[in-house]
Amino acid sequence: MTIAQALDWAKSRLFEGESPAIDARVLLCHVLNCSTTTLLTYPEKPLTDAQIEQFTALIEQRKIGKPVSYLTGKQDFWTLTLNVNEHTLIPRPETELLVERTLQLHELNPLKQPAILDLGTGTGAIALALASELPQSQVLAVDFIQEAVELAKYNAQQLALKNVSVLQSSWFSNIPQQSFDFIVTNPPYVESQSPWLSEGDVRFEPDTALTSGEDGLDDIRLIIDHAVTWLNPRGWLLIEHGHLQSEAIQGLLVDHGYDSVTTESDYSGLPRMCYAQKRVA
């Protein structure tokens, strides 16, 4: 079987998926440890029996819906390539908005050594992206799942980012007493009975990283309630949320002592992030 034949076969197996050609290329590059350019340049190159066996197994797992990122163990986020596993949510492009907006808010009022807290860090994506862009910052990333903590630490080590600390904590419960200039979070926000949980790649992701009560706001309520006491004066809280939740979250932020409450849309034009500043008396 040549590269071209392998790709044609894989696309035929994955034809019911959203992106059969892309998935086939990514998985074959993973097996061959090569770039997409290599696939295009050497379509007649034959695969070994071991490569065929590995590629076939990956395609069959993808066919039943297992996310490509879990199959390769990698996911790009911001300018970084992160290790991922089934204990954490797969970082998504819309979450980069949290990084982008945090950097912009910092530019408006630059701090010599900003203190940043990433709640529910998972792979460490948000914390590591901010640490890479703000090398003078001190970033604390927390997650209540030990496997996620270990993964985020590993990613920080692989990226040689020294200004990030990772610890196990259920939201604020185990954080050392200190205050922060920015608290950023992509918490669980899906309704516990949402039909979306039984669709596509999300079926394979951990429920603990996705669901948060009947209306999806249980964790966000807790974060908004507690974050105000952990923020420095005029510090910022930034939250990713579902596209139907912005109005409710804006109300929570106003009620709990925040100013400059703002909603921002994702790249598809859907309201997906709220941010606000701690109110100073």
Side-chain angles (χ1 to χ4, degrees):
M1 182 182 288
T2 66
I3 285 176
Q5 290 170 336
L7 290 174
D8 287 342
W9 169 80
K11 287 185 285 187
S12 70
R13 293 293 292 161
L14 302 176
F15 75 96
E16 294 179 338
E18 293 182 1
S19 54
I22 294 174
D23 292 351
R25 288 197 297 271
V26 170
L27 292 173
L28 188 53
C29 285
H30 174 66
V31 170
L32 301 180
N33 191 26
C34 72
S35 66
T36 302
T37 302
T38 300
L39 302 185
L40 299 173
T41 306
Y42 304 104
E44 299 305 317
K45 181 179 179 179
L47 278 61
T48 66
D49 290 343
Q51 289 169 340
I52 293 171
E53 182 178 358
Q54 183 184 2
F55 185 57
T56 300
L58 290 173
I59 292 300
E60 294 306 320
Q61 290 184 74
R62 180 57 185 151
K63 183 174 176 60
I64 63 173
K66 193 167 184 178
V68 171
S69 295
Y70 286 159
L71 294 174
T72 64
K74 302 286 184 181
Q75 176 65 33
D76 290 338
F77 180 85
W78 198 246
T79 61
L80 313 175
T81 297
L82 302 172
N83 293 277
V84 301
N85 62 36
E86 296 179 10
H87 296 290
T88 65
L89 196 69
I90 298 168
R92 289 170 166 79
E94 55 265 27
T95 303
E96 293 182 1
L97 283 172
L98 285 173
V99 177
E100 183 179 327
R101 179 54 65 191
T102 301
L103 294 174
Q104 290 172 346
L105 291 171
H106 179 260
E107 287 177 3
L108 293 174
N109 184 27
L111 300 169
K112 184 176 180 180
Q113 192 176 52
I116 302 171
L117 172 63
D118 176 18
L119 293 169
T121 196
T123 61
I126 298 169
L128 298 174
L130 289 171
S132 69
E133 295 289 345
L134 298 171
Q136 76 278 22
S137 67
Q138 290 298 315
V139 182
L140 175 61
V142 304
D143 203 293
F144 83 99
I145 297 175
Q146 182 58 38
E147 293 87 351
V149 172
E150 293 171 358
L151 179 62
K153 286 182 177 179
Y154 180 75
N155 279 327
Q157 292 168 358
Q158 292 295 108
L159 295 166
L161 292 169
K162 306 296 186 181
N163 56 329
V164 182
S165 300
V166 187
L167 61 81
Q168 187 171 11
S169 178
S170 178
W171 302 128
F172 299 94
S173 64
N174 196 38
I175 296 175
Q177 189 60 48
Q178 65 181 106
S179 55
F180 300 92
D181 301 297
F182 297 94
I183 297 177
V184 295
T185 182
N186 176 20
Y189 54 73
V190 180
E191 301 88 343
S192 56
Q193 301 302 316
S194 171
W196 179 70
L197 296 169
S198 61
E199 300 174 2
D201 290 5
V202 75
R203 293 172 295 159
F204 293 83
E205 297 184 86
D207 284 346
T208 54
L210 293 166
T211 60
S212 185
E214 291 186 5
D215 63 357
L217 294 175
D218 284 1
D219 288 311
I220 289 177
R221 289 190 185 92
L222 185 152
I223 290 168
I224 290 174
D225 185 26
H226 287 77
V228 70
T229 65
W230 290 85
L231 283 168
N232 284 323
R234 310 307 294 171
W236 292 92
L237 172 63
L238 300 94
I239 305 172
E240 181 176 328
H241 55 72
H243 69 276
L244 298 177
Q245 296 172 328
S246 60
E247 185 175 347
I249 293 171
Q250 285 182 358
L252 289 168
L253 288 165
V254 170
D255 291 344
H256 284 80
Y258 296 85
D259 285 329
S260 304
V261 177
T262 306
T263 294
E264 192 157 324
S265 296
D266 63 16
Y267 306 122
S268 299
L270 299 174
R272 291 298 300 274
M273 179 181 70
C274 282
Y275 60 94
Q277 194 170 32
K278 180 178 178 177
R279 183 180 301 157
V280 177

